[in-house]
Amino acid sequence: MTDAAAKTPTIGKRIELTLRALVLGCILAVIFTAANTYLGLLVGLTFASAIPAAVISMAVLRAFRTSTIWENMTVQTVASVGGAMSSIIFVLPGLVMIGWWLEFPFWQSVLICIFGGVLGVTFSIPLRRALVTGSDLPYPEGVAAAEVLKVGSRGAEQTESAVRENKAGLWVVVFGAIVSAGYALLIAAKAFAGEAAKFIKLPAALGGGATGIGFGMQFALLGAGHLIGLTVGLAQLFGLILAWCIAVPILTSPETIAWLTAHGIPSIATTLEPGVAAEELAGTVWSKEVRFMGAGVIGVAAIWTLLKLAGPLVGGLTSALAAQARRKSGEVLARTEQDIPISLVGLISLGCLVGIAGLLAWFAQSSPALAGSTFVLVAGGLVYVVLIGFAVAAICGYMAGLIGSSNSPVSGVGILAIVIASLLMVVVMAIAKVPADGSVIAFALIVTAVVFAVAVIANDNLQDLKTGQLVEATPWRQQTALIVGVGAGALVIPLILNLMNQAFGFEGGPAAIVQGAKTLSAPQATLISALAKGVISGGLRWDLIGLGAVIGVVIIILDEVLSRVSKGKVKLPPLAVGIGFYLPAAVTTMLVVGAVVGWIYEKVIAKSRFAEVGRRMGVLLASGLIVGESLFGVLNAGIIVGTKEAEWAAVLPLPAGWPAMLAGIVAFAGLTFLLYSWIIRQSAKVQG
């Protein structure tokens, strides 16, 4: 530590796990959880909130002379895990979609999140040494968050540019959020179209099928694309091309439909009226068939990841047990190696498992069809949570280290988990003679929701622990903050879900209370609930999932070949390709645009004197864009529920169709250019 640093209050005294840090972290966790919940229900993506949380924390705690980098680390940890907790919405809405719940019961939803989330923390503690301190995984978001903390937590006695960057960074987040929310308000006012799309029937020479393309003109998607980066963005584009330029045209071509019919193979296209519009034909085939191919790709990719993790898993657990043995022998571990003791980890995990057992037993007893099999269901559910939960903690932690928390395949893990859970329920049905009714599907979804909570928190936990390692935080204090963050996020989720359910409704679920409100697609929950129903009822299209699995194997091989030939410079992440299959085309396209825009921006500033500052400002702008639109979405839902008017803001209607689309494209492109030009100027001013 330099003399200047030693004199600086923000770096000197070790103040780390404080009440004010926990309170501020919980407030930010509520905000980011609400934003992420809306974004996830709308487009099937969530974002990592660590960096904006760190910037806001440094701006607020700078008012206290005793604040430190480690205290800001605590705020960031609590806030980021609260935001990550929102990914549980990839599963929970499925219980409404199948008609088991009409709304989200508060305490059941909260306890599912808390028990699963805390297990995510405890399961990932043994993985810290294997996947963080003893690994060369890049952890892009964790490293970026550490850089922001190191720069922003330096006092004015050391460098004025650090203070300027901290203030400028806060304004970038706020201004980006205002622009994003304002643009979303204009879309709600019908000044612009929120999406531009075109569907066509192909000529006979190209098979005569249908296809289409769309752009979701939403700044939240642009920001998310910036954060995922070019490699993942292009991989998603590859999945989009496979889906919409190959699979959809082939499955909608008259020749393919005739061949499938002749061979007795089911095809959703045969159920549509002759001469149906290209949009309905292509959209129906994609949603009912092609997305299941994407599920196959994601499932194979998740299994491949688990196989690659076998070594680190064993090594991490062995290291944790060795550290516990050294503690018992009287050895004092270095502060940066002090996890929550493994014995306490075991007790906390046991307490969560007892709580999960109680939840599962209560659910089984409340269903006449399941009551007689309560013991088998609870015992099987606990074994499933322990085995699959620890496996997905490792998978998601590894992927967070490889490509970042925002890009980690938690939805793919959910797909894999629900298929396994549903297959196990089929076995229970056969043994216990349980009928295949809605309670069986609901039980599978609840167990999967617990495992999913484990996955999303482990995914975020290891990213935060990497940040902590780089700023020399104390692991056990961070892990304590993570548990607090789980609670903060869990308390918000059912409230936001009920608000969204009332205002918009979910596909397949009860209608929204307001006529005309646009139903939320909740793409992962839709797919996961469809998989559960398909496996348990016996109607799942295993042929499509199998075809997707074959495609996934080919992509894995291609990725390995590209990586070796290019020495790691060119990659094709299989999970990202699978995501490109099953996300709506308008979403994927704008994510790719965001990734390309972010890449161009970083190329433009690469040789400037403010390149590093500019790169951090880009991340903050992207985060602000996501937060602004998402919070407007939550506010919009509240107004819709309060006024009983779906289009309360529609006061500036343009003619429908291409006039509104073109106006939206021009406005979106112009604002994007102005925003990135502005943060270039801000970065130059910060550097001085």
Side-chain angles (χ1 to χ4, degrees):
M1 183 180 295
T2 65
D3 292 339
K7 296 176 183 177
T8 304
T10 56
I11 296 291
K13 186 178 179 182
R14 177 165 290 277
I15 297 175
E16 195 164 352
L17 188 66
T18 64
L19 179 60
R20 67 192 180 199
L22 293 176
V23 170
L24 178 57
C26 287
I27 293 171
L28 294 178
V30 168
I31 294 172
F32 289 127
T33 299
N36 259 328
T37 298
Y38 174 78
L39 184 69
L41 293 172
L42 182 68
V43 301
L45 291 173
T46 58
F47 71 101
S49 49
I51 291 176
V55 170
I56 294 170
S57 172
M58 290 183 293
V60 173
L61 294 185
R62 190 175 291 278
F64 300 93
R65 289 184 55 81
T66 56
S67 68
T68 67
I69 188 173
W70 306 293
E71 194 175 22
N72 288 319
M73 174 78 244
T74 297
V75 175
Q76 178 233 286
T77 299
V78 175
S80 68
V81 78
M85 192 75 250
S86 61
S87 294
I88 193 69
I89 53 94
F90 292 165
V91 180
L92 278 186
L95 289 159
V96 171
M97 292 174 176
I98 66 170
W100 186 258
W101 284 349
L102 296 180
E103 60 180 8
F104 297 89
F106 182 78
W107 285 113
Q108 288 183 54
S109 303
V110 167
L111 291 176
I112 287 171
C113 294
I114 288 179
F115 291 145
V118 173
L119 277 182
V121 176
T122 59
F123 282 4
S124 57
I125 288 173
L127 300 173
R128 185 183 66 83
R129 290 179 177 85
L131 296 183
V132 178
T133 59
S135 167
D136 59 356
L137 290 170
Y139 285 96
E141 291 161 356
V143 171
E147 290 177 6
V148 170
L149 284 168
K150 288 177 181 178
V151 171
S153 294
R154 293 171 185 158
E157 297 173 22
Q158 186 175 23
T159 170
E160 292 182 5
S161 66
V163 178
R164 288 200 302 269
E165 181 176 343
N166 185 213
K167 291 180 179 178
L170 179 61
W171 277 111
V172 166
V173 173
V174 171
F175 190 66
I178 291 172
V179 170
S180 178
Y183 189 83
L185 176 60
L186 288 174
I187 290 177
K190 303 297 184 182
F192 314 124
E195 181 177 316
K198 179 66 176 177
F199 292 86
I200 60 172
K201 287 281 186 71
L202 297 173
L206 296 177
T211 189
I213 190 66
F215 291 87
M217 290 172 290
Q218 297 167 282
F219 277 106
L221 295 180
L222 183 78
H226 182 124
L227 293 178
I228 66 175
L230 189 65
T231 297
V232 174
L234 292 180
Q236 289 187 349
L237 177 62
F238 185 66
L240 178 74
I241 291 170
L242 289 177
W244 286 94
C245 297
I246 298 177
V248 171
I250 289 175
L251 291 175
T252 55
S253 72
E255 291 184 2
T256 301
I257 294 171
W259 186 89
L260 292 173
T261 303
H263 290 79
I265 300 174
S267 170
I268 194 67
T270 61
T271 65
L272 301 176
E273 293 291 332
V276 67
E279 180 176 359
E280 183 179 353
L281 177 60
T284 302
V285 168
W286 170 78
S287 63
K288 302 295 184 182
E289 295 183 342
V290 175
R291 288 180 77 185
F292 284 90
M293 295 183 191
V297 174
I298 292 170
V300 166
I303 293 171
W304 173 247
T305 302
L306 179 59
L307 293 175
K308 291 172 68 174
L309 275 175
L313 281 173
V314 175
L317 185 57
T318 302
S319 177
L321 292 172
Q324 176 72 359
R326 294 202 303 274
R327 269 201 188 95
K328 288 185 176 180
S329 67
E331 179 181 341
V332 178
L333 298 177
R335 181 184 48 75
T336 54
E337 287 298 312
Q338 294 174 6
D339 293 302
I340 294 177
I342 198 68
S343 56
L344 183 56
V345 169
L347 287 175
I348 295 172
S349 300
L350 182 60
C352 288
L353 291 172
V354 170
I356 292 168
L359 270 177
L360 298 181
W362 176 86
F363 180 86
Q365 286 294 313
S366 66
S367 168
L370 301 180
S373 307
T374 299
F375 177 79
V376 173
L377 290 170
V378 171
L382 289 178
V383 171
Y384 178 80
V385 166
V386 171
L387 295 181
I388 303 299
F390 192 77
V392 300
I395 292 173
C396 290
Y398 179 85
M399 292 306 297
L402 185 63
I403 58 176
S405 301
S406 299
N407 311 319
S408 195
V410 289
S411 55
V413 168
I415 289 169
L416 188 62
I418 190 61
V419 170
I420 296 172
S422 300
L423 288 172
L424 291 175
M425 289 303 296
V426 171
V427 174
V428 171
M429 287 161 51
I431 295 174
K433 309 298 182 185
V434 176
D437 66 0
S439 62
V440 177
I441 300 171
F443 189 89
L445 285 170
I446 285 178
V447 175
T448 300
V450 173
V451 169
F452 205 79
V454 173
V456 298
I457 296 305
N459 177 50
D460 183 77
N461 186 2
L462 290 169
Q463 195 79 244
D464 286 334
L465 289 173
K466 181 63 178 181
T467 303
Q469 179 206 9
L470 294 174
V471 301
E472 298 184 349
T474 309
W476 74 262
R477 289 189 172 96
Q478 262 194 288
Q479 291 151 6
T480 302
L482 286 161
I483 293 174
V484 173
V486 167
L491 290 171
V492 177
I493 286 170
L495 301 178
I496 302 298
L497 282 174
N498 275 321
L499 183 64
M500 296 298 163
N501 187 35
Q502 292 177 46
F504 305 115
F506 301 113
E507 289 188 5
I513 64 172
V514 181
Q515 293 295 321
K518 185 178 179 181
T519 303
L520 289 168
S521 62
Q524 282 90 339
T526 302
L527 183 57
I528 284 172
S529 59
L531 286 170
K533 287 191 288 187
V535 171
I536 292 172
S537 66
L540 186 63
R541 291 292 303 274
W542 287 106
D543 55 337
L544 295 174
I545 292 178
L547 179 58
V550 172
I551 295 172
V553 171
V554 173
I555 293 169
I556 288 170
I557 294 171
L558 183 57
D559 178 44
E560 292 292 317
V561 171
L562 287 173
S563 183
R564 292 185 183 183
V565 170
S566 66
K567 296 182 179 178
K569 295 181 180 179
V570 179
K571 294 181 180 180
L572 187 67
L575 284 157
V577 176
I579 289 171
F581 260 88
Y582 79 80
L583 281 184
V587 172
T588 302
T589 306
M590 187 48 66
L591 288 172
V592 175
V593 169
V596 172
V597 167
W599 176 78
I600 292 173
Y601 166 75
E602 293 192 358
K603 283 292 183 182
V604 168
I605 65 172
K607 295 184 179 179
S608 67
R609 70 182 189 282
F610 54 83
E612 286 301 310
V613 174
R615 185 170 59 82
R616 290 192 288 269
M617 290 295 177
V619 171
L620 293 175
L621 175 64
S623 301
L625 294 176
I626 295 171
V627 170
E629 182 179 328
S630 299
L631 291 183
F632 172 78
V634 176
L635 175 64
N636 184 35
I639 294 175
I640 288 173
V641 171
T643 63
K644 305 295 189 293
E645 178 58 53
E647 298 189 347
W648 60 272
V651 295
L652 300 170
L654 279 178
W658 280 104
M661 290 184 189
L662 288 174
I665 291 171
V666 171
F668 190 88
L671 281 173
T672 299
F673 178 79
L674 291 175
L675 282 169
Y676 278 95
S677 299
W678 175 67
I679 62 170
I680 288 176
R681 294 195 299 273
Q682 290 296 109
S683 301
K685 288 180 182 178
V686 166
Q687 194 65 30

